């Protein structure tokens, strides 16, 4: 029996740069704005194979909307989206400070990723069901959800709409099309596919939409969901938010160096798109295309949203330990708020003064919500009633639950 001529070794993917190094995004494939064709929604996955490796962009470097994916939105809709992104960032900033002040135990920002949730929150109806992860707070904000209610959940105070049953930032509201966030990453996909299958089975007209990060594509739930979505043509849109980093691991650990995350759909016979996630118009256009496909009984679409996580993974994370401090400044797709702002200014539908006024208004709106919520109480100052532990959990109480309630006096 022959021996190997050399010792075997494992390849462990490494990011292009570590702390103290020079940021490098040369591995990120790009296309000029407007260069990618827009297929008909009836196109087969085989006909769309190249879309897994291209990048759909609408806004060019001068802020002009170009190409076949331009959704030609009216100015009011774009202003609504811009203001929602501004408000989302202002909310993030205040709640991050609240954590530093000891008012909550945990927070996660979505800085630089606001266009994804805010655009899709407008494309999809609140009657559709969204299965988000923890950076889609813009879904609620763009739909007008009360900021004070979000803060009450973050503080787990007496007015927490989830009654202290979830970690901070894991919101839930069926009436806003916002399924309870799961801390077990990847579960959103099979939940969304199952919900979509049920909608189709009932002959309803509602679709599902889900979001996971690049790291969660390595979970088994991701692959199980794609199998069911393909086999049953579930009316669902499956987003992969590739923000380059999981909690502290580079996206290459999940297979991002081998191929694009969008291309993972090819093996399941599903159509897939790669989209500039920092381009509000591109996100809108791709989402609208996938939603129309789902509503036409043509099945699921997988969308990779290419973006960058500027902030720490959470308040429990220190990104300075694993990436260059200035890496976000070199992200080639820029800032989603700034890009939509420049587009509207170029159209004569916005100005620097209006933008400053919108920022000031957002800060004041968040401040007012903060005062309302903090008057009820922050972490440890106020909490839901103990009796809520025994409510809405079991369909009927058995003797053990009755005894436990008696022991705590509720």
């Amino acid at each position: 029996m022959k021996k190997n001529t050399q010792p075997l070794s494992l390849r462990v993917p490494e990011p292009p740069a570590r702390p103290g190094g020079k940021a490098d995004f040369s591995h990120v494939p790009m296309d000029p704005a407007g260069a990618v064709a827009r297929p008909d929604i009836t196109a087969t996955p085989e006909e769309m194979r190249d879309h897994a490796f291209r990048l759909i962009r609408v806004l060019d470097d001068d802020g002009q909307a170009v190409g076949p994916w331009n959704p030609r939105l009216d100015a009011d809709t774009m202003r609504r989206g811009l203001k929602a992104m501004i408000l989302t960032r202002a909310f993030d900033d205040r709640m991050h400070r609240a954590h530093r002040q000891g008012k909550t135990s945990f927070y996660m920002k979505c800085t630089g990723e606001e266009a994804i949730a805010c655009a899709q929150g407008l494309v999809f109806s609140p009657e559709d069901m969204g299965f988000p992860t923890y950076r889609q707070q813009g879904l609620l904000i763009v739909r007008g959800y009360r900021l004070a209610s979000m803060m009450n959940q973050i503080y787990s105070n007496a007015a927490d709409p989830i009654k202290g049953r979830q970690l901070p930032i894991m919101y839930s509201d069926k009436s806003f099309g916002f399924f309870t966030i799961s801390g077990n990453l990847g579960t959103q996909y099979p939940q969304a596919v199952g919900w979509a299958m049920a909608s189709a089975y009932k002959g309803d007209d509602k679709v599902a939409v889900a979001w996971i990060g690049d790291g969660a594509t390595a979970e088994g739930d991701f692959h199980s969901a794609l199998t069911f979505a393909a086999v049953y043509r579930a009316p669902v849109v499956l987003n992969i938010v590739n923000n380059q980093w999981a909690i502290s691991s580079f996206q290459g650990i999940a297979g991002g160096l081998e191929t694009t995350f969008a291309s993972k759909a090819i093996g399941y016979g599903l159509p897939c798109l790669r989209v500039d996630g920092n381009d509000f118009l591109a996100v809108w256009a791709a989402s609208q295309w996938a939603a129309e496909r789902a509503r036409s009984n043509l099945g699921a679409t997988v969308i990779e949203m290419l973006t960058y996580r500027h902030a720490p993974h959470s308040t429990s994370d220190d990104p300075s330990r694993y990436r260059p401090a200035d890496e976000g400044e070199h992200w080639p797709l820029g800032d989603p708020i700034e890009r939509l702002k420049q587009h509207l200014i170029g159209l004569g539908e916005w100005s620097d003064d209006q933008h400053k006024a919108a920022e000031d208004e957002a800060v004041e709106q968040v401040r007012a919500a903060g005062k309302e919520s903090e008057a009820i109480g922050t972490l440890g100052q106020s909490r839901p009633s103990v009796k809520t532990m025994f409510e809405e959990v079991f369909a009927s109480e058995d003797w053990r639950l009755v005894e436990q309630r008696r022991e705590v006096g509720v």
Side-chain angles (χ1 to χ4, degrees):
M1 181 176 177
K2 286 188 175 181
K3 291 185 177 180
N4 290 328
T5 57
Q6 60 182 3
L8 298 175
S9 63
L10 287 176
R11 190 280 304 264
V12 179
E14 279 288 328
R18 287 294 191 183
K22 184 178 179 181
D24 179 12
F25 290 107
S26 60
H27 62 283
V28 179
M30 294 286 182
D31 279 285
V36 178
R38 185 184 188 279
D40 188 84
I41 62 165
T42 61
T44 65
E46 292 79 12
E47 293 171 327
M48 292 181 56
R49 188 180 184 281
D50 286 351
H51 282 76
F53 306 98
R54 305 293 299 276
L55 187 64
I56 296 169
R57 303 176 65 192
V58 173
L59 292 173
D60 65 16
D61 294 341
D62 297 320
Q64 300 296 312
V66 298
W69 286 93
N70 179 6
R72 293 176 170 78
L73 299 180
D74 61 88
D76 285 342
T77 298
M78 288 188 284
R79 280 191 289 263
R80 182 181 175 188
L82 180 60
K83 288 179 179 179
M85 290 194 289
I86 292 170
L87 182 57
T88 300
R89 190 167 293 183
F91 182 86
D92 270 0
D93 288 344
R94 183 178 179 94
M95 299 319 298
H96 191 265
R97 290 196 303 273
H99 172 268
R100 295 294 187 252
Q101 295 164 353
K103 295 177 180 178
T104 183
S105 60
F106 187 71
Y107 194 72
M108 303 181 81
K109 300 176 74 175
C110 65
T111 309
E113 303 178 38
E114 296 91 349
I116 298 168
C118 289
Q120 293 190 310
L122 294 175
V123 169
F124 292 94
S125 165
E127 294 183 345
D128 298 321
M129 186 54 70
F131 293 79
T133 59
Y134 34 65
R135 287 187 224 283
Q136 278 76 55
Q137 50 265 56
L139 288 172
L140 291 172
I141 290 173
V142 78
R143 291 173 176 170
Y145 194 78
R146 293 186 71 249
L147 299 183
S149 294
M150 295 175 72
M151 292 179 179
N152 291 337
Q153 196 277 324
I154 293 166
Y155 293 145
S156 298
N157 64 25
D160 176 2
I162 310 182
K163 304 176 182 179
R165 296 169 180 167
Q166 269 283 29
L167 284 169
I169 61 86
M170 293 191 175
Y171 318 105
S172 175
D173 197 306
K174 182 178 180 180
S175 65
F176 278 76
F178 198 99
F179 196 87
T180 310
I181 295 176
S182 171
N184 299 314
L185 298 180
T187 59
Q188 293 86 347
Y189 263 35
Q191 289 167 353
V193 172
W195 192 97
M197 289 171 62
S199 180
Y201 188 78
K202 293 185 297 184
D204 205 344
D205 61 355
K206 311 301 186 297
V207 304
V209 54
W211 296 261
I212 60 172
D214 47 277
T217 63
E219 297 284 346
D221 284 345
F222 171 83
H223 300 279
S224 296
L226 264 60
T227 297
F228 275 80
V231 170
Y232 296 100
R233 289 191 180 175
V236 62
V237 178
L238 300 169
N239 295 290
I240 302 166
V241 183
N242 177 9
N243 63 13
Q244 312 307 305
W245 292 95
I247 185 166
S248 58
S249 61
F250 157 62
Q251 50 102 7
I253 296 293
L257 292 182
E258 274 51 61
T259 187
T260 67
F261 289 102
S263 70
K264 293 177 183 287
I266 293 174
Y268 295 90
L270 290 171
C272 47
L273 304 171
R274 282 183 80 246
V275 181
D276 178 350
N278 289 24
D279 180 342
F280 183 91
L281 300 185
V283 173
W284 181 293
S287 303
Q288 189 177 54
W289 186 95
E292 186 179 353
R293 184 181 180 92
R295 297 190 202 283
S296 300
N297 280 319
L298 295 170
T301 302
V302 174
I303 306 178
E304 178 184 352
M305 298 289 185
L306 196 64
T307 183
Y308 181 81
R309 170 167 64 75
H310 283 264
H313 180 267
S314 72
T315 47
S316 303
D317 177 43
D318 179 7
S320 68
R321 298 175 65 90
Y322 55 80
R323 68 185 188 189
D326 65 345
E327 189 177 67
E329 299 173 16
H330 297 276
W331 176 241
L333 296 176
D335 179 89
I337 293 177
E338 185 64 23
R339 290 176 67 187
L340 187 56
K341 168 192 170 183
Q342 292 304 324
H343 176 61
L344 280 166
I345 288 175
L347 294 176
E349 297 288 353
W350 197 243
S351 69
D352 287 325
D353 289 343
Q354 285 175 292
H355 196 83
K356 178 64 166 59
E359 289 178 329
D360 292 343
E361 181 182 353
V363 169
E364 184 52 42
Q365 189 175 343
V366 172
R367 182 183 293 116
K371 289 181 179 179
E372 178 184 341
S373 180
E374 291 179 21
I376 299 168
T378 59
L379 180 67
Q381 296 177 341
S382 165
R383 59 176 61 89
S385 170
V386 173
K387 69 179 182 179
T388 62
M389 286 196 302
F390 305 96
E391 298 172 349
E392 302 169 340
V393 177
F394 298 101
S396 60
E397 294 184 345
D398 70 0
W399 67 269
R400 286 169 289 253
L401 200 62
V402 172
E403 180 64 17
Q404 289 168 7
R405 291 188 68 154
R406 186 192 64 76
E407 289 177 2
V408 296
V410 296

